């Protein structure tokens, strides 16, 4: 379908036709030639509202729900992160990766989020995305030209390669496999020829060539009209950046990483969400025909158990889960967020140093890696605990302190980060609890940034899996921290820190995340491993052995579950 970006650049006139100025290359894509003639298949939903406890929001409009299901669900769009609200004249709903908009005739399209007026930013949380390349855009086949449908497909295949500079980036494969046939054609009679058109509805045309992140050649990006694909060599996986999450934070004016905060301050969208003003808009003259009332207030709805979940792996093997010695267990799929197995997953227990997942997450949001921090803490607080090895009064970068936090599980690093970022341990812990609340975690509360036993300091296995999943999917730096084996610190003194997580050396595909131990908590671990592009999290609280108890669960998941698009296990 064709997308009218100028609908978002000026007020509507008397008729929709008067306002639409089509970009000559913009979304008349294959959707104009093929998919426009095929409406989204309406699905007969037993429910009129679908709730998502992962974020606290629901899809309540049947048009949005039909489009969500027909285009791949959670795996394509992520979870809803808003209610339905009016944005520049259109009813919209925000998801983690995209913003849906509904037109007067009921049809749904995706907002071109990367348009210059909306999200023109290329530096986000230490990552550098490629900018739009006008020279590349001009090479796209002209809409309406002879053989356009075929030529644009070939152009996309040439522009979005699966292999680039010898690296298996998988951009074309990811593009073409975005939407499973069973999602687009739930009633059967699938037409694979239309899938490329539907994928174009989601991504739009490529608008850049593949490009390394200039600061991390483990990561390759490619920009499209509506999203950015990222290849990460550390997991061998390709996925979309959660851009709409960042756009929501711009509207809220909070939780932005420093580089995006600096760039977005001048945007007309920045900090507009204001519950004290009519329409909940801080500067209504800048957002005509917009009503943000309660847009980002979670919906208090009960958790609805669903056997079928879009993007959720299906258990195709018959083996029961292994008997693992742990007081609480949560096994979570990264792509769908589905809880694949749990034993008392919501039980509130002492998490020990798994706390530091939140410490790192808040530090990455509020600080800058190059920021120099002079360590302030009382060494007497840390008797008989794991340490990075720094001393009060020494100065190190936040990046060094984060490696000291995550690898040797330095409680001294945790206090130095808390005091350096927030000015005090108390204020930093408040930010940690704010982050837990923002993620909708009901069974988590912190009283310190390191995880030493304390009354009122607890988390659940499920909450820790959700937090790890959020950190690993939102922050490339966090993935590096979770997977690093060692790091050489350069500050007041230079020395090397080593990762204490034995699981990283013990399981093929292991890539994180954090271990812990205290007398009250016992052994704890948030483990992650990736196989065939699918990352799974195993969280064990109060277990006997972090390796012996987590490995059987990973083996069980990877041998008995099948992900959408994978061949079933024989």
């Amino acid at each position: 379908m064709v997308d009218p970006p100028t609908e978002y650049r000026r007020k509507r006139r008397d008729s929709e036709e008067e306002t639409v100025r089509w970009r000559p290359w913009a979304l008349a894509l294959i959707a104009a030639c093929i998919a426009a003639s095929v409406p989204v298949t309406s699905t007969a939903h037993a429910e009129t509202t679908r709730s998502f406890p992962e974020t606290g929001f629901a899809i309540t409009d049947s048009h949005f729900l039909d489009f969500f299901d027909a285009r791949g669900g959670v795996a394509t769009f992520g979870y809803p992160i808003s209610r339905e609200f009016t944005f520049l004249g259109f009813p919209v709903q925000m998801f983690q990766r995209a913003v849906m908009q509904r037109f007067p005739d009921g049809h749904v399209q995706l907002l071109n989020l990367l348009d210059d007026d909306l999200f023109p930013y290329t530096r986000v949380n230490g990552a550098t995305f490629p900018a739009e390349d006008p020279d590349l855009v001009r090479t796209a086949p002209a809409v309406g030209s002879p053989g356009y449908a075929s030529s644009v497909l070939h152009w996309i295949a040439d522009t979005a390669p699966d292999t680039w500079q010898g690296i298996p980036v998988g951009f074309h494969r990811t593009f073409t496999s975005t939407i499973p046939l069973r999602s687009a054609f739930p009633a059967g009679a699938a037409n694979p020829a239309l899938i490329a058109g539907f994928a174009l509805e989601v991504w739009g045309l490529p608008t850049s060539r593949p490009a390394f992140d200039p600061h991390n050649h483990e990561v390759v990006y490619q920009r499209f009209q509506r999203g950015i694909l990222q290849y990460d060599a550390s997991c061998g996986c390709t996925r979309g950046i959660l851009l709409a999450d960042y756009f929501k934070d711009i509207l809220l004016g909070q939780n932005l990483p420093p580089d995006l905060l600096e760039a977005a301050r001048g945007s007309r969208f920045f900090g507009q969400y204001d519950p004290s003003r009519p329409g909940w808009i801080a500067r209504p003259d800048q957002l005509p025909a917009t009503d943000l009332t309660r847009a980002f207030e979670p919906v208090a709805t009960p958790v609805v158990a669903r056997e079928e979940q879009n993007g959720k792996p299906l258990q195709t093997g018959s083996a029961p889960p292994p008997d693992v010695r742990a007081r609480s267990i949560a096994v979570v799929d990264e792509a769908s967020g589905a809880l694949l197995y749990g034993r008392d997953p919501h039980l509130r227990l002492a998490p020990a140093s798994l706390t530091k997942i939140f410490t790192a997450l808040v530090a990455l949001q509020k600080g800058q890696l190059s920021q120099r921090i002079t360590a302030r803490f009382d060494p007497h607080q840390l008797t008989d605990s794991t340490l990075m090895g720094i001393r009060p009064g020494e100065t190190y970068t936040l990046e060094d302190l984060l490696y000291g936090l995550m690898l040797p599980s330095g409680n001294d690093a945790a206090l130095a980060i808390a005091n350096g970022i927030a000015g005090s341990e108390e204020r930093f812990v408040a930010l940690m609890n704010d982050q837990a609340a923002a993620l909708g975690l009901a069974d988590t509360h912190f009283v310190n940034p390191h995880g030493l036993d304390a009354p009122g300091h607890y988390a659940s296995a499920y909450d820790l899996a959700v937090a790890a999943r959020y950190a690993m999917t939102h922050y490339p730096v966090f993935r590096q921290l979770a997977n690093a084996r060692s790091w050489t610190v350069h500050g007041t003194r230079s020395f090397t820190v080593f990762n204490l997580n034995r699981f990283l050396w013990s399981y093929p595909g292991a890539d994180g995340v954090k271990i812990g131990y205290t007398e009250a908590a016992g052994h704890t671990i948030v483990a992650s491993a990736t196989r065939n592009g699918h990352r799974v999290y195993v969280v064990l609280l109060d277990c006997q052995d972090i390796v012996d108890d987590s490995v059987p669960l990973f083996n069980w998941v990877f041998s008995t579950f099948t992900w959408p698009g994978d061949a079933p296990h024989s």
Side-chain angles (χ1 to χ4, degrees):
M1 293 182 181
V2 183
D3 184 29
T6 54
E7 292 284 3
Y8 290 88
R9 293 184 177 149
R10 66 180 194 273
K11 296 182 181 178
R12 300 179 69 186
R13 297 179 183 172
D14 292 339
S15 68
E16 185 176 344
E17 288 78 10
E18 290 179 325
T19 65
V20 176
R21 295 178 185 169
W22 311 111
R23 278 187 188 174
W25 56 273
L27 265 198
L29 314 178
I30 233 175
C33 298
I34 302 177
S37 63
V38 184
V40 173
T41 305
S42 179
T43 305
H45 295 296
E47 80 277 36
T48 58
T49 295
R50 187 177 305 166
S51 300
F52 293 82
E54 294 85 355
T55 56
F57 292 97
I59 306 174
T60 60
D61 181 271
S62 62
H63 300 91
F64 287 146
L65 188 55
D66 281 343
F67 191 85
F68 179 84
D69 284 342
R71 298 297 179 261
V74 170
T76 299
F77 303 108
Y79 293 105
I81 55 173
S82 79
R83 304 184 185 208
E84 182 182 328
F85 62 98
T86 303
F87 184 68
L88 297 174
F90 290 86
V92 303
Q93 184 162 16
M94 298 183 71
F95 296 77
Q96 289 173 300
R97 290 191 178 92
V99 181
M100 293 184 191
Q101 54 179 327
R102 189 179 73 246
F103 284 76
D105 64 359
H107 84 270
V108 175
Q109 295 179 187
L110 298 183
L111 178 63
N112 271 5
L113 193 58
L114 289 171
D115 274 359
D116 288 344
D117 186 43
L118 295 172
F119 198 95
Y121 315 108
T122 58
R123 290 178 55 81
V124 177
N125 196 40
T128 300
F129 307 140
E132 182 177 303
D133 180 352
D135 292 334
L136 173 67
V137 169
R138 282 192 287 270
T139 69
V143 176
S145 58
Y148 174 77
S150 175
S151 62
V152 77
L153 281 179
H154 287 296
W155 184 83
I156 292 170
D158 291 339
T159 308
D162 280 331
T163 301
W164 178 75
Q165 295 193 12
I167 302 170
V169 293
F171 290 147
H172 188 253
R173 181 176 62 254
T174 303
F175 177 91
T176 56
S177 64
T178 294
I179 301 164
L181 281 172
R182 66 173 176 271
S183 295
F185 302 95
N191 185 346
L194 296 177
I195 289 296
F198 296 145
L200 240 53
E201 286 186 300
V202 172
W203 291 103
L205 286 171
T207 58
S208 82
R209 302 281 185 186
F212 286 118
D213 186 309
H215 304 294
N216 178 11
H217 278 207
E218 292 285 295
V219 175
V220 180
Y221 297 111
Q222 183 160 24
R223 183 187 187 97
F224 292 74
Q225 287 175 284
R226 296 192 174 104
I228 295 172
L229 282 176
Q230 174 200 60
Y231 169 76
D232 186 345
S234 67
C235 63
C237 50
T238 303
R239 67 192 75 187
I241 301 293
L242 304 182
L243 289 176
D245 256 343
Y246 288 119
F247 189 65
K248 173 183 174 178
D249 288 343
I250 289 173
L251 286 166
L252 292 171
Q254 62 186 36
N255 298 326
L256 292 166
D259 47 8
L260 183 56
L261 176 62
E262 180 179 356
R265 282 190 189 277
S267 166
R268 65 173 173 141
F269 303 107
F270 180 79
Q272 284 279 26
Y273 193 67
D274 186 350
S276 69
R277 301 291 300 276
W280 292 41
I281 304 174
R283 305 179 303 281
D285 59 307
Q286 295 180 340
L287 294 184
T290 297
D291 188 341
L292 299 180
T293 303
R294 303 191 65 79
F296 303 125
E297 305 304 302
V299 182
T301 54
V303 175
V304 179
R306 293 178 54 81
E307 284 298 319
E308 295 184 7
Q309 184 173 350
N310 284 306
K312 175 182 177 179
L314 300 177
Q315 187 170 356
T316 53
S318 60
D323 184 17
V324 170
R325 300 166 296 173
R327 189 173 175 191
S328 177
I329 302 171
V331 181
V332 170
D333 171 52
E334 181 177 270
S336 66
L339 181 67
L340 304 182
Y341 172 67
R343 179 197 299 164
D344 291 328
H346 302 290
L347 187 63
R348 297 176 175 181
L349 295 171
S353 284
L354 305 189
T355 299
K356 295 182 174 97
I357 293 171
F358 284 85
T359 309
L361 188 53
V362 171
L364 289 170
Q365 291 174 344
K366 303 299 182 182
Q368 294 182 316
L369 293 178
S370 60
Q371 177 180 348
R372 298 186 66 79
I373 293 176
T374 299
R376 292 190 293 114
F377 61 92
D378 180 0
H380 297 96
Q381 287 182 265
L382 306 177
T383 304
D384 296 327
S385 69
T386 55
L387 300 172
M388 173 186 179
I390 59 175
R391 302 163 186 160
E394 294 182 337
T395 300
Y396 299 91
T397 64
L398 175 59
E399 183 176 33
D400 283 338
L401 292 173
L402 284 168
Y403 278 98
L405 175 84
M406 293 291 287
L407 274 61
S409 202
N411 297 330
D412 47 356
L415 292 175
I417 290 170
N419 289 314
I421 295 293
S424 72
E425 183 179 347
E426 293 74 18
R427 284 196 289 269
F428 189 87
V429 170
L431 294 173
M432 294 169 64
N433 287 318
D434 287 346
Q435 177 63 74
L439 292 173
L441 307 183
D443 299 307
T444 294
H445 184 264
F446 302 113
V447 300
N448 63 58
H450 41 64
L452 293 177
D453 297 329
H457 191 97
Y458 57 80
S460 71
Y462 178 75
D463 283 4
L464 288 162
V466 171
R469 175 175 177 259
Y470 178 82
M472 294 280 277
T473 55
H474 279 68
Y475 296 97
V477 172
F478 186 91
R479 293 198 298 276
Q480 295 169 25
L481 292 166
N483 192 35
R485 271 52 169 181
S486 63
W487 178 263
T488 299
V489 173
H490 298 288
T492 301
R493 291 178 294 116
S494 296
F495 55 97
T496 301
V497 293
F498 298 93
N499 202 323
L500 302 180
N501 185 358
R502 291 186 293 116
F503 175 74
L504 290 173
W505 284 269
S506 305
Y507 192 75
D511 49 20
V513 173
K514 191 73 187 73
I515 62 171
Y517 174 81
T518 65
E519 186 173 346
H523 293 285
T524 63
I525 184 171
V526 176
S528 68
T530 301
R531 184 171 297 177
N532 297 326
H534 307 299
R535 181 179 280 132
V536 171
Y537 298 93
V538 168
V539 184
L540 304 175
L541 298 183
D542 194 7
C543 67
Q544 297 298 308
D545 186 280
I546 62 170
V547 174
D548 291 348
D549 293 332
S550 55
V551 165
L553 285 164
F554 281 109
N555 287 338
W556 173 71
V557 168
F558 288 131
S559 63
T560 61
F561 282 80
T562 300
W563 277 258
D566 287 355
H569 299 294
S570 58

